[in-house]
Amino acid sequence: MRNHDFKIIAFVFLVHLCLSGGTRQALAQAEKGAYPAMAPVDQYLIADQNSEIALARSAAPPAISDAAEVMVLGKQGFTTAVKGTNGFLCLVERSWGAATDDAEFWNPKVRSPICFNPPAARTYAQIFLLKTKLVLAGKSKTEIVAATAWALDKQEPPPLEPGAMCYMMSKQQYLNDRGMSWHPHLMFIVSGDAAKSWGANEPGSPIIALNDPEERATVFLVWVANWSDGSPAPERSTTAGFFSDTLPILSQRSAEFFPPTNSRR
């Protein structure tokens, strides 16, 4: 595994050859925002490990998260703090869980508790763990994009498994400066650009779709009525506009990364 990580990090000197001009322009625009560069590493860490474990577990109901593996972030990356027994993986994502052209990619305030089900833990979560290693190695956004693409081409991490999904139901979550805790929701992850086949983002549809071409997946978000502790969530009408400025951006990125072809996985 260490050799694999070294190969990925060593690869990034070729990144500018791997990206289109449009992608580089989008990254440059994101770097002009409130978070143009990575903050000191300590700002992304949670000093008390037990607090981070509790926050990670708050992503899902206790019946799920109490038996899950829990990982915590250190200066060298995520490590397992609690071994699980049910195949789920819970951790607190930081801001680089977003796409690299997101204006808050470096926001040190972001704390996004998430619990991956077994198929997602084996596949989708590994992309975030890889990005974390690249971030902590000091790689730029451009290098992260290219290294992630290289790893996915090599199927390291392995291809997304059917049935991959995640819980994000923590009342303590801070997703970004716009939405803050937003709303408890479930996420279903499907390979490629699959929004239309789910009827997502259509008027009256309860499903929000976010294409992430960098990770070659579509993430479907479905609101749920309660936080993981059982308390009621905000009314849907108070949160409906959260992604209003995000969807057009993702649609544009999707067209660039997902050309009309049947070859992508």
Side-chain angles (χ1 to χ4, degrees):
M1 187 64 180
R2 289 176 179 267
N3 184 52
H4 167 59
D5 295 339
F6 174 78
K7 288 190 294 182
I8 292 174
I9 294 173
F11 166 78
V12 298
F13 77 95
L14 296 172
V15 294
H16 288 285
L17 300 178
C18 301
L19 298 177
S20 69
T23 303
R24 288 193 291 269
Q25 183 179 11
L27 295 177
Q29 290 174 346
E31 289 170 358
K32 295 179 181 179
Y35 306 99
M38 185 177 180
V41 172
D42 286 345
Q43 293 187 27
Y44 299 96
L45 304 179
I46 297 175
D48 181 65
Q49 178 172 287
N50 289 331
S51 296
E52 184 161 0
I53 292 170
L55 183 58
R57 282 180 165 158
S58 71
I64 296 169
S65 60
D66 282 355
E69 177 184 355
V70 180
M71 301 186 79
V72 297
L73 180 64
K75 292 186 177 181
Q76 304 302 317
F78 279 91
T79 57
T80 298
V82 179
K83 293 183 178 180
T85 58
N86 63 0
F88 280 75
L89 168 63
C90 300
L91 54 81
V92 181
E93 284 195 345
R94 300 323 199 257
S95 53
W96 52 82
T100 54
D101 59 2
D102 190 297
E104 299 190 41
F105 184 82
W106 296 122
N107 184 350
K109 300 192 295 293
V110 171
R111 300 288 186 271
S112 301
I114 185 169
C115 286
F116 302 88
N117 77 339
R122 291 189 294 264
T123 57
Y124 189 66
Q126 302 307 312
I127 301 175
F128 174 72
L129 296 176
L130 167 62
K131 288 173 69 176
T132 298
K133 291 178 181 179
L134 294 166
V135 164
L136 295 178
K139 302 307 176 184
S140 68
K141 291 181 178 181
T142 304
E143 292 170 328
I144 291 168
V145 170
T148 302
W150 182 83
L152 291 173
D153 286 341
K154 299 293 185 181
Q155 297 192 351
E156 299 176 355
L160 186 65
E161 291 185 21
M165 61 83 62
C166 313
Y167 289 79
M168 295 192 74
M169 299 173 58
S170 175
K171 188 184 292 185
Q172 290 77 46
Q173 65 190 9
Y174 190 95
L175 304 181
N176 57 39
D177 291 344
R178 300 187 306 278
M180 299 184 182
S181 61
W182 193 48
H183 203 285
H185 58 282
L186 306 178
M187 302 198 311
F188 301 87
I189 306 101
V190 178
S191 293
D193 183 358
K196 289 184 178 180
S197 66
W198 281 53
N201 303 334
E202 298 294 341
S205 174
I207 303 175
I208 297 171
L210 302 178
N211 283 333
D212 191 341
E214 293 175 5
E215 298 181 2
R216 303 178 186 178
T218 299
V219 179
F220 295 97
L221 294 86
V222 179
W223 275 302
V224 294
N226 297 316
W227 300 105
S228 62
D229 63 3
S231 59
E235 293 292 330
R236 178 170 176 171
S237 60
T238 64
T239 57
F242 178 58
F243 284 107
S244 60
D245 60 343
T246 305
L247 290 172
I249 296 172
L250 290 168
S251 177
Q252 181 178 3
R253 292 177 61 238
S254 177
E256 179 180 345
F257 281 81
F258 287 154
T261 176
N262 295 323
S263 63
R264 63 176 180 270
R265 63 177 183 84

